Structure formats: C-alpha cells, structure tokens
Amino acid sequence: MRISKKKDLFEEIRLKLVSQGFRIVDHDDQQAWGGSLLIDEAQASIFLQTYFKQAASMAEATLNLPLRPKLLVVAPHQAISWQYHLRRAELWQVVLGEIGVKLSDSDEEPDPYLKKKGDFIMLEPGTRHRLVGLQDWAIIAQVWQHVDGEHPSDERDIVRLLD
C-alpha cells in the first residue's frame, strides 16, 4: 500500500473516532506493521461500550485499575513483534477485517489462527502473542488492563521475543 493510502486510512479512522466523541491523545502511523491510535484513558468505559459490546461487562468488573484504550491498525502481510507483558492483560476485539493471531504460554511461536470481525480475545499477563496481517487491513480495538496499580504498564513493559 502506498504511504498516502496508509495516511488516508489513518485519517478516516481518526475522523470516525472523533465523530464518536473520542479524544485521541497519541497516534503512530509509522510502524511497518501499521500503527495505532491511543484514546484518552478517561474514556475507557465508553470505548468498552462502543467496541467491546459482548465483553464490556466482563471488562467493567476490572475498572478498579486503569485501562488504556487504543485501536491497532494492522497492514496486510505484516505482523507485530512476538511479545508478552508482565504487568498488563489485554482485551482485543476485531473491528474490521480478518487477522491472524498467535498465542502461546511459551516462547515457541505457533501457527496463526484466524479471527474475524466481532471476535474477542483476552490475554493474561505473560501470554506470548502476535497479530499477523492477512490479505487486507485489519482494525483491532485493544484495551490494556493494568494488573499492578503501583506499577502500571507502559511501553517499557513489552518483552519482545522476535520482531
């Protein structure tokens, strides 16, 4: 995909989020695998209700710790790093398209399995994971659930096993 098309896609997603009343506090469209748009943490509950209809009640039960909502945009035939986190769980909801998902409790990377629009995935801390782009762009709603209130998760909590 040409860079201009990628930028157009990100702009389309940004406009949709703004029209839904979300405040985007950061975005990154410079990753080879695609990128992300980070939503204001104060809007986590609304984000859950909007993008996690089936799982919102389950996630709402954990609102005693901060949540960090974002949209991941995964490019065709690209992948995020094979990684895990120590201080966060993650909720994923496929919003658009189809995506390959790799999950494991060990460092051995398995073959991906298919998830499509509407599918929900919950990752516990320590679960190794990777999203793999398929034939077209995919959009994944993601919420970090910080599991340690004294030491919330951040980008330094990513343990990359393989890029």
Side-chain angles (χ1 to χ4, degrees), residues 82 84 103-108 110 124-129 161:
W82 178 235
Y84 66 95
L103 300 175
S104 177
D105 291 328
S106 75
D107 290 351
E108 187 174 325
E124 296 296 330
T127 301
R128 279 64 169 164
H129 58 276
L161 301 167

Side-chain angles (χ1 to χ4, degrees), residues 6 31-35 73-79 99 132-134 136-138:
K6 181 179 180 181
Q31 300 299 318
W33 56 264
V73 183
V74 182
H77 311 291
Q78 298 294 321
I99 193 82
V132 179
L134 300 176
D136 207 349
W137 288 86

Side-chain angles (χ1 to χ4, degrees), residues 16-111:
K16 176 161 181 144
L17 288 168
V18 168
S19 76
Q20 292 172 319
F22 291 110
R23 290 181 299 280
I24 301 166
V25 297
D26 196 12
H27 76 281
D28 177 4
D29 62 0
Q30 299 301 306
Q31 300 299 318
W33 56 264
S36 62
L37 297 102
L38 180 64
I39 307 303
D40 185 341
E41 286 185 20
Q43 296 183 302
S45 182
I46 297 166
F47 188 83
L48 284 168
Q49 293 169 9
T50 303
Y51 288 100
F52 291 83
K53 295 188 187 329
Q54 297 171 352
S57 61
M58 178 177 63
E60 290 279 353
T62 63
L63 284 178
N64 57 331
L65 292 174
L67 300 176
R68 190 168 188 198
K70 64 168 47 173
L71 285 183
L72 302 175
V73 183
V74 182
H77 311 291
Q78 298 294 321
I80 66 168
S81 62
W82 178 235
Q83 61 181 269
Y84 66 95
H85 315 283
L86 300 172
R87 299 185 323 270
R88 81 172 95 139
E90 291 185 9
L91 305 175
W92 293 345
Q93 181 82 36
V94 182
V95 175
L96 180 71
E98 296 181 336
I99 193 82
V101 176
K102 296 182 178 188
L103 300 175
S104 177
D105 291 328
S106 75
D107 290 351
E108 187 174 325
E109 190 173 353
D111 290 333

